[in-house]
Structure formats: structure tokens, C-alpha cells
Amino acid sequence: MEARPVGAAAELSMAGLHASLSDPALESMNFLNEVASRYPQAISFASGRPCEEFFDIALIHQYIDSFCDYLRNELGYAEPRLSQALFQYGRTKGIIHELVARHLAVDEGIHVDPESVVVTVGCQEAMFIVLRALRRDERDVLLAISPTYVGLTGAARLVDMPVWPVRSGRSGVDLDDLVEQAARARAAGLRPRACYVMPDFANPSGATLSTEDRQRMLEVAGQQDLLLLEDNPYGTFGNGTRLPTLKALDTGRRVVYLGSFAKTGFPGARVGYAVADQRVIAADGTVSLLADELSKIKSMVSVNTSPVAQAVVGGKLLENDCSVIKANVRETAVYVNNLSQVLDGLARRFPPESAGAGISWNVPGGGFFVVVTLPFAVDDTMLEYSARQHGVLWTPMSHFYGAGNGTHQVRLAYSQLTPDRIEAGLERFTALVADAQQRAAAGSARA
Amino acid sequence: MEARPVGAAAELSMAGLHASLSDPALESMNFLNEVASRYPQAISFASGRPCEEFFDIALIHQYIDSFCDYLRNELGYAEPRLSQALFQYGRTKGIIHELVARHLAVDEGIHVDPESVVVTVGCQEAMFIVLRALRRDERDVLLAISPTYVGLTGAARLVDMPVWPVRSGRSGVDLDDLVEQAARARAAGLRPRACYVMPDFANPSGATLSTEDRQRMLEVAGQQDLLLLEDNPYGTFGNGTRLPTLKALDTGRRVVYLGSFAKTGFPGARVGYAVADQRVIAADGTVSLLADELSKIKSMVSVNTSPVAQAVVGGKLLENDCSVIKANVRETAVYVNNLSQVLDGLARRFPPESAGAGISWNVPGGGFFVVVTLPFAVDDTMLEYSARQHGVLWTPMSHFYGAGNGTHQVRLAYSQLTPDRIEAGLERFTALVADAQQRAAAGSARA
């Protein structure tokens, strides 16, 4: 220890703090928020936030009342017990687990024991506690379909768990690469524990796995003894026939289902959940439910999820027969219309025969995101330039990959925008593309 | 990898999950809850929950409305921005930071920049993210005044950070032992990063540090280059003159203050905070605020604290001029009266000249807890016997120590009980003590 002057102010060296704090995954979230906050007037295709048109404070009161009616009438709570349920410490795994299980049955055809549901502080906490449980030591690695949601990568960093990318290929998952990465990990003396995947309208890619690929992925997971961590925040926001979730197809308890109400309820409730019906076998043969093990971790992270917040989400579920599809008919129409408008707007502005050369995009069937591939590289410097010079924000896809990938792609999020703003935003984006192409041409002319 | 039958159900081995899941600290919380749930008719001196007399669902609505008025009138929010503030994703460090800073000034004489406040999902998340930041690798250790709150130990387990006990001695902290433990850690090539302490009416000991010891503890922290993690959930529930918090005395930014509204607001809000005004210096010389580093970790644990929950706590603060003392005049009277009743009741039942031989207890000046020392050993088996045979629950102090300490002590929590229940509970506890003494005498007669 160096000698320090007595009474000197405490200063901490970043080098002495946890490595996640210097990691690009955590910095990237910060950088993107910071750029957005510096250009509040810019039209933002950057943030995947739900539409705000139907937000109304009166709904919060109404949902809480509906949930209290449920406690009174359906569960038979007398008033002291009712106020206790909302005010006092409560069940670590949550108090809306029955309603979550009903929702999963109604909307997803997933039938689970409510005891296997852990209600969490948003889906983020669900991801975190699952990874904390699975990461025992430095041999444990997580596989994840690439490009990957930043929140998953960040949660993995907090438990020092490496994330190995699995190629998504053309169809959303390259199953040969999944087998190969698992084998590579084992050959290196490591333990691939699970593979993270967002099968429906993924963030950031917008890709959706076919039913056949879902079946095959479950088979591969069984063969490789991997868990699948299925994250499904956007699945109900599609413009066509819905495909079964992995969990609905899961006959071997391979899938830990990560549920979010951030988009189907609202983000400010911070309510999500994990469904973890796996059996855990202790050395003495005792069997427990993975949900109960996750609950022990949760008790040391957040104690329990605010019952007030759970009441708000529970009330919204109750008012809609536990169907988030029913609860979001208007919102889904907004997202589906916005998606069409973005796709039509891109096609109009970048026809293949003219400016469109080298510019392409995918055609998701729902969700919040479209990915545009450009004939030039895009990075954070260009994002900042775009915000300043053209008044439009988007997300460089490189943030969702390890180094060196996605360099020519941007993610456009359209969920929070009105039709007018989408049109204006695409105009600005088109101007940016023209500008960047000119600058690239001038650059190569000079070279 | 062992060969597995294709399609076999996933089973996890506990030996492959994170070690915290097999740790006594996490098991202990589970065991205590489980015993309590099996004997719902028992009178519980076990749980340190706030009194429920003043819980009223109407207050939740009222607090939310008060907070909305504040956003409207004091911050000038128009309606769309207002509903956005409660419904949408929001500032990671929270939206009641200004109110928390006002509360600290009003009630504690602590003056901090609101930017150094991180609003968290209860104080538990504050503890967790601070420990996650401070635990870089296996060389980092945490010192903690012993006996120690189980939630602190559990959070440390989640980041694989050893907790080294520091003796509390007669006065609540043995500062020589603090110096000695820090030296011992350094001699072992380890880095003692901080010392956790609850200076006011500690859980579980009920002990309070003198002002002189607080000053000396800050000096020792400066000399040893330790942070002090000050946890203060009970400080306003005293029966006499209040002492300054460590943070109020802290001129060298040695103290990270861990704030809770679980007892002064209500537990179901799950709102707490950390005050972290320390400077963090990066390798390139960049300076940041520790609060902003904690915020990066929080963004990967819970994204942000539910603004609905923050609105409830914010409203309660606003209705009481940001004073939790003012907000809890009735509750504090309950706790202070309960404390007197427990102390009087113990003195009446265990007078020194009769049954009291070998039975003693401390005399806290406030808080939720009294510790009784008994002439025989108490453990989980006796707790279960007590619940079954005598209908009374309490907590073996051994749960708050490492192995082999506190074996003859129980913690009695009196915060949640009515006067009638306290009297009845002490009767039952007295019967248990007589029973145990008889059984101990019979045992030694046999021996």
C-alpha cells in the first residue's frame, strides 16, 4: 500500500473497479444515450421504445384498482391483507405469477406451473439472475445468436461470463455454427451452458426463425446439453401468422423463457419474468426447481419486485383476459403500419435502378426494427455527424457485434415514431446517405 | 462431455451452478422464511418489518398524484412529458434524486449534489451494485462490522467477494480490530476495499456508535484508504437525541451512503438509493463520478428503478416537506413504545435475582431489534421447536455471524407487533426459556 496523506479525499482508480465498467458493451449503451440527449431535436430511429400515444396516468390508478379487486374478489383477501400485499415485503418470486401463467397459456400456448415463474425487475433482471446462476467459474461460457441485444452482453459482463457469438446466417440462426461453437468451447476445456436467442423479430436484426429451425434448435440443444434462453419482447407485434415460441415446443425443459412486459405492459413498470421449470439436483440428491434457485439470487439483488409495479401490470392483464395481444390491439396496429411505412419509404427512396445501388434492407414481419445495409462504413463518428448535420439518429449495428462486424449496417427503430416523423426521418436519412456517398466518392477520388 | 440420450429432459447439477446458491448466507434467509411460513399462527419476533397499522391503498393513489403535481407545477412538465416520465424508460439514476437530496439535507444534514444519488430497487440493489463495482478480482475483500446484515453478506456472495468480520466489541465497533483486519488482508496480498457498517440501531445488534467512534472510524478509513459503506435504514427511529451520520461527518468522500425507504417509505415500493460522490480516475486521466459508474452497472441489472414506484416514494416525501421524520411521527412512536415494552417486559420476566441468572439483553436507543443472551445454546432446531411447541418465532444470532459465534443469542424484532402481541409473545418466549433450561438441566443431570 502506498502511503497516503491522512484525511485525503477518497479517489478510486478505474483500474481497481470491475472490468465491466471499461467494457465496450456498457460504454456503448452510455454513448448512444448520451448522443441522443445532446440532439433532442433529431428524429430518432435509435431507440426501441414503445409508442407513447396511449400513455395516460389515469390508467395507472385504474390498473392498481383492478388488481386490488382481483385480490379481494378472486383471491378473497380482506383489506388488511390486501394493503399488506402492496405495502409490505412479499413473496420473492412475485404476486402476479398466476396471471403470468394465464397470459402464457392464452397468448403463447405455453402451459407452466406458476411456481416456475419468477417475476423480475424487468426482463433485464431475469437475464442477470439466470446468467449469475449459470456462471459458476471461469470455464463457463454463454453462446448467443449474433448480432446480440446489448443488455444480454452487459449482464454477462457483470458475471464475467464470456459471450461467444453464433452466426445467424440468412435464416436467423446457423445451427451448424451453434454445434461448432459448442464443440470449440468444449475442446478449449470450457463449458457452454446455454444459447441466448430472440426467435421473433429479434433486436437488433428483426429476424424470425422458421418453425423448422425452432424444432431443430431444440434438438441441437438436447444433443449438446445446452439450455436455450429465449427472449421474446416483440413476438406479439407481427403482421402475419404467429409461430410457436421455443418454450411452446419445448418437451424437454430445454428452454428458460425470458418474459418482458416493457413493450406489452409499459417500460416504467419494470416488470418482467423468467420461466425456469428445470430440475436442479444437489449433491445429496435433493431436487429443486431452477425458479427457486433463481429466487434465492433475486433475494440478494432486489429482494422482490415492487408489488405496486406488479399490481399495475397485473391490472392491465386482468382488464384484458390476461391477453397482451388483446391489450395491445391499437399499439400493434401502430407498429405494423410503421413497419410498412419504413419499408415503403425505403423502397421509394432507394430504388434498385438509381441511388439504391449497394443499399439494401431486410423485410421483418413485425417487431420494432429494420436493418439497412449501406455501401459505406458507418460508425459512431458518422452517427454524431448524422445527428448534427442531418438531424437524424440511428444505431450502428457494430454495437451489437464483436469487433469488425456489422460495420456497413444501421438499425432503424420505428416503434416510437408517428407517420409524419417517419417520413421526415427517412428524408433526413436519405440526405445523410447521399452526403456520405459523395464524401466517400470525393475521398476515393483523392486517393 | 458425457453422452446424453437425445431429447432427454434438461437437468442441472447444483455443483455446476454458482457457489452462492449453496452458501449458508442465502440458505439462511430461505430457511427463516420457510419456518415462518409453516407456523403462521406463531407470534413473530423474527421479521424486521415495519408496522402495518397505517398502510392504506388510498395512499398509493394519493402519493402518485402528489408526485404528478410536482412534475407539473415544480418542474413544469406538460402532460405528454408527465405520462412519459412514469410510463417510458427513463434516467438510469432515477427521477426522485432531487427529492432524495432534499431529504438528506432536511433530515440528516447531509448536503450532496443530486447527481451523486443513484436511485435503486431498494437498498439491496444499492449494496449489490456497489459491491459489483468494488470487486474486481479474487484479491478484493470486504470488511464488515460483525454481526452483519444477511443481505450484505448475500450480495457479496453474488460477486464472489469474501466478507471479513470486524469485531463490534462493547461499543459497536472495535477500531483496533478494523486496522488489524485491514493489515491482515494486505499481508495476505489482498485488497480490503471498504468496511460495511450500520452506525445507528444496527440490524441485528441494535448497537449505535458514539459520535467519537464515528469520527475515529472516518480517520481510520482515511489512514487505511478504505471506503465506508454506511447503511442507515433505522436511524430516524430513536428515542433520544440523534447522532450525526458518518456521511454528515465525511469531509473526505470516504463514505458511500446506502439509503433505504423500506421502513420510512414502505417496503413494497422497493426504492432505495446510494450516494456515491467519489471521484473515479481512468487510465487516461478522465474523471468520473462513482455514481455514474454505479449507474452503468445498474443499467445491466434493472435498467432503471420503476418510475411508478419512485412516484409513490416521491409523493410521500413531497407531502412531508421531504422529511421522513415528519412522515413517520406515528410510526416512530409505535417503535419507541414497542421497544420500551420489550425492555420492560424482559426486565419483569427475568429479574436478576430469580430466573434471570445468565439471561441478559442490550438496551438499544431505537430501531427494530433487541438481542437477548441466554445461558444455553440456541440454533435452528430450537427455533423450530419454539415455533411448534411455544408458538413464538425469533432469529438465532448465529445467522448473522460466521460459524461458531452468537450461539447463545437471539434477535427479537418488535417493529411489526401490537402491544398485546408483544406481551403474549414475551410470555411464550419466557415459557420457551424455562422449558429449554429444564431440558438443559435434565441433560446435564443425565451426563
Side-chain angles (χ1 to χ4, degrees):
Chain A
M1 184 182 121
E2 295 165 50
R4 291 182 61 90
V6 172
E11 275 188 357
L12 301 168
S13 150
M14 185 67 95
L17 300 182
H18 189 246
S20 61
L21 289 168
S22 312
D23 191 272
L26 276 79
E27 292 291 356
S28 126
M29 200 87 134
N30 243 35
F31 168 78
L32 295 170
N33 287 335
E34 188 265 326
V35 173
S37 74
R38 267 193 294 132
Y39 299 96
Q41 301 310 317
I43 295 177
S44 178
F45 287 110
S47 95
R49 297 175 160 210
C51 74
E52 300 176 347
E53 199 177 333
F54 310 109
F55 290 172
D56 178 358
I57 300 289
L59 287 172
I60 292 178
H61 294 297
Q62 181 186 315
Y63 293 149
I64 291 173
D65 288 338
S66 294
F67 186 73
C68 289
D69 285 343
Y70 158 79
L71 293 181
R72 249 178 234 117
N73 304 330
E74 204 166 328
L75 301 190
Y77 281 29
E79 288 310 308
R81 187 162 173 210
L82 196 158
S83 55
Q84 194 188 44
L86 266 69
F87 277 80
Q88 196 54 280
Y89 292 105
R91 186 172 175 274
T92 308
K93 290 196 289 183
I95 58 172
I96 60 167
H97 51 306
E98 303 268 2
L99 302 178
V100 169
R102 276 193 228 169
H103 146 61
L104 287 171
V106 169
D107 285 330
E108 306 289 356
I110 297 173
H111 300 277
V112 291
D113 183 347
E115 286 299 324
S116 67
V117 174
V118 186
V119 181
T120 53
V121 182
C123 190
Q124 187 66 38
E125 193 195 30
M127 290 194 284
F128 176 75
I129 63 178
V130 169
L131 297 187
R132 174 65 294 174
L134 293 180
R135 198 279 190 186
R136 182 174 178 91
D137 61 40
E138 65 288 344
R139 285 169 298 178
D140 297 303
V141 297
L142 178 69
L143 308 179
I145 307 302
S146 177
T148 309
Y149 172 53
V150 178
L152 186 275
T153 312
R157 294 289 185 272
L158 291 191
V159 298
D160 302 305
M161 191 174 198
V163 180
W164 285 28
V166 172
R167 278 201 298 267
S168 45
R170 289 175 173 276
S171 66
V173 58
D174 179 336
L175 290 163
D176 294 334
D177 196 48
L178 174 56
V179 173
E180 172 143 350
Q181 295 305 328
R184 227 186 93 218
R186 291 204 176 88
L190 303 174
R191 292 183 297 236
R193 301 301 303 261
C195 180
Y196 171 84
V197 57
M198 217 186 274
D200 294 275
F201 320 130
N203 179 7
S205 72
T208 293
L209 304 196
S210 68
T211 304
E212 189 187 26
D213 274 349
R214 291 170 199 233
Q215 292 282 16
R216 284 188 57 215
M217 194 166 187
L218 283 162
E219 282 162 28
V220 169
Q223 286 153 7
Q224 299 289 326
D225 198 14
L226 294 171
L227 292 176
L228 298 179
L229 310 184
E230 179 178 31
D231 188 4
N232 184 23
Y234 310 103
T236 59
F237 303 132
N239 60 14
T241 313
R242 292 192 59 208
L243 302 182
T245 61
L246 288 169
K247 190 64 189 166
L249 299 170
D250 179 26
T251 54
R253 295 195 294 266
R254 282 286 150 204
V255 178
V256 175
Y257 185 85
L258 303 167
S260 169
F261 290 112
K263 280 79 186 182
T264 57
F266 60 92
R270 308 301 318 120
V271 175
Y273 59 94
V275 178
D277 54 2
Q278 286 71 24
R279 286 153 47 99
V280 178
I281 320 290
D284 65 359
T286 319
V287 177
S288 62
L289 199 58
L290 180 58
D292 289 313
E293 302 303 326
L294 298 180
S295 171
K296 282 155 66 177
I297 292 177
K298 177 176 169 61
S299 73
M300 296 302 169
V301 174
S302 64
V303 181
N304 60 337
T305 302
S306 168
V308 177
Q310 291 185 73
V312 172
V313 168
K316 185 166 184 177
L317 286 172
L318 285 159
E319 292 186 10
N320 293 281
D321 305 321
C322 289
S323 170
V324 305
I325 295 174
K326 184 175 172 186
N328 288 280
V329 168
R330 296 177 305 178
E331 288 82 353
T332 303
V334 168
Y335 302 140
V336 166
N337 287 336
N338 283 3
L339 171 58
S340 301
Q341 203 187 339
V342 168
L343 294 174
D344 294 350
L346 287 170
R348 242 183 2 259
R349 287 173 178 86
F350 303 109
E353 66 276 12
S354 63
I359 301 179
S360 63
W361 52 90
N362 63 343
V363 180
F368 282 17
F369 309 107
V370 168
V371 174
V372 180
T373 304
L374 295 162
F376 49 85
V378 290
D379 58 11
D380 291 349
T381 308
M382 185 173 287
L383 168 60
E384 173 123 31
Y385 178 82
S386 173
R388 193 175 63 244
Q389 292 297 103
H390 295 280
V392 62
L393 291 162
W394 34 267
T395 309
M397 282 291 286
S398 52
H399 284 272
F400 305 106
Y401 283 100
N405 282 304
T407 53
H408 287 54
Q409 294 188 315
V410 305
R411 187 193 74 175
L412 301 184
Y414 51 78
S415 48
Q416 205 193 354
L417 295 172
T418 59
D420 284 358
R421 299 282 280 176
I422 291 177
E423 281 311 307
L426 288 178
E427 280 301 305
R428 295 180 187 189
F429 181 69
T430 307
L432 167 75
V433 170
D435 182 355
Q437 282 181 309
Q438 274 178 0
R439 301 206 306 164
S444 57
R446 269 201 305 275
Chain B
M1 183 183 124
E2 295 166 49
R4 291 182 60 89
V6 172
E11 275 189 357
L12 301 167
S13 148
M14 185 67 96
L17 300 182
H18 189 245
S20 61
L21 289 169
S22 312
D23 192 273
L26 275 80
E27 291 292 357
S28 128
M29 201 85 132
N30 243 35
F31 167 78
L32 295 170
N33 287 335
E34 188 266 324
V35 173
S37 74
R38 267 193 294 132
Y39 299 96
Q41 301 309 318
I43 295 177
S44 178
F45 288 111
S47 93
R49 296 176 162 208
C51 73
E52 300 175 348
E53 199 178 333
F54 311 109
F55 289 172
D56 177 359
I57 299 288
L59 287 172
I60 292 178
H61 294 296
Q62 181 185 316
Y63 294 149
I64 291 173
D65 287 339
S66 294
F67 186 73
C68 289
D69 286 344
Y70 158 79
L71 293 181
R72 247 178 236 117
N73 304 329
E74 204 166 328
L75 302 190
Y77 280 30
E79 289 308 308
R81 185 161 175 213
L82 196 158
S83 55
Q84 193 188 46
L86 266 68
F87 277 79
Q88 195 53 282
Y89 292 105
R91 185 172 177 275
T92 308
K93 290 195 290 181
I95 59 173
I96 60 166
H97 51 305
E98 302 268 3
L99 302 178
V100 169
R102 275 192 228 169
H103 146 60
L104 288 171
V106 169
D107 285 330
E108 306 289 356
I110 296 173
H111 300 277
V112 290
D113 182 346
E115 285 299 324
S116 67
V117 174
V118 185
V119 181
T120 52
V121 182
C123 189
Q124 187 65 38
E125 193 194 32
M127 290 193 285
F128 175 75
I129 61 178
V130 168
L131 297 187
R132 175 64 295 174
L134 292 180
R135 197 279 189 184
R136 183 176 177 89
D137 61 40
E138 65 288 346
R139 286 169 298 179
D140 297 303
V141 297
L142 177 69
L143 308 178
I145 307 302
S146 178
T148 309
Y149 172 53
V150 178
L152 184 276
T153 312
R157 293 290 184 272
L158 291 191
V159 297
D160 302 305
M161 191 175 199
V163 180
W164 285 29
V166 172
R167 279 201 297 268
S168 45
R170 288 175 173 276
S171 65
V173 58
D174 179 337
L175 291 163
D176 294 334
D177 196 48
L178 174 55
V179 172
E180 172 144 348
Q181 296 305 329
R184 227 187 93 218
R186 291 204 177 87
L190 303 175
R191 291 183 295 235
R193 302 301 302 261
C195 181
Y196 172 84
V197 58
M198 216 185 275
D200 294 275
F201 320 131
N203 180 7
S205 72
T208 293
L209 305 195
S210 67
T211 303
E212 189 186 28
D213 274 350
R214 293 172 196 232
Q215 292 282 16
R216 285 189 58 216
M217 193 166 187
L218 283 161
E219 283 163 27
V220 169
Q223 287 153 8
Q224 299 288 327
D225 197 15
L226 293 171
L227 292 176
L228 298 179
L229 310 185
E230 178 178 34
D231 189 4
N232 185 23
Y234 310 103
T236 57
F237 302 132
N239 59 14
T241 312
R242 293 192 59 209
L243 303 182
T245 61
L246 288 168
K247 190 65 189 166
L249 298 170
D250 179 25
T251 54
R253 295 195 293 266
R254 281 287 151 201
V255 178
V256 175
Y257 185 85
L258 303 168
S260 169
F261 289 113
K263 281 79 185 181
T264 57
F266 60 93
R270 308 302 318 122
V271 176
Y273 58 93
V275 178
D277 54 3
Q278 286 71 24
R279 286 153 47 100
V280 177
I281 319 290
D284 65 359
T286 318
V287 177
S288 62
L289 199 57
L290 180 57
D292 288 314
E293 301 303 325
L294 297 180
S295 171
K296 281 156 65 178
I297 293 177
K298 178 176 169 61
S299 74
M300 296 303 168
V301 174
S302 64
V303 181
N304 60 336
T305 303
S306 169
V308 177
Q310 291 187 70
V312 172
V313 168
K316 185 166 183 176
L317 287 172
L318 285 159
E319 292 186 10
N320 292 282
D321 305 321
C322 290
S323 169
V324 304
I325 295 174
K326 184 175 171 187
N328 288 280
V329 168
R330 296 175 308 177
E331 287 82 353
T332 304
V334 168
Y335 302 139
V336 166
N337 287 336
N338 284 3
L339 171 58
S340 300
Q341 204 189 338
V342 168
L343 295 174
D344 293 350
L346 287 169
R348 244 186 358 262
R349 288 173 178 87
F350 304 109
E353 67 277 12
S354 63
I359 301 179
S360 64
W361 51 90
N362 64 343
V363 180
F368 282 16
F369 310 106
V370 168
V371 174
V372 180
T373 303
L374 295 162
F376 49 85
V378 289
D379 58 11
D380 291 349
T381 308
M382 185 174 286
L383 168 60
E384 173 124 32
Y385 178 81
S386 173
R388 194 175 62 244
Q389 292 297 100
H390 295 281
V392 63
L393 291 162
W394 34 267
T395 309
M397 282 290 286
S398 51
H399 284 271
F400 305 106
Y401 285 99
N405 283 306
T407 53
H408 286 54
Q409 294 187 316
V410 304
R411 186 192 75 174
L412 300 184
Y414 50 76
S415 48
Q416 205 193 355
L417 296 172
T418 58
D420 284 357
R421 299 283 280 176
I422 290 177
E423 281 311 306
L426 288 177
E427 279 302 303
R428 295 179 187 191
F429 182 69
T430 307
L432 167 75
V433 170
D435 182 356
Q437 283 182 308
Q438 274 177 0
R439 300 205 309 164
S444 60
R446 268 200 304 274

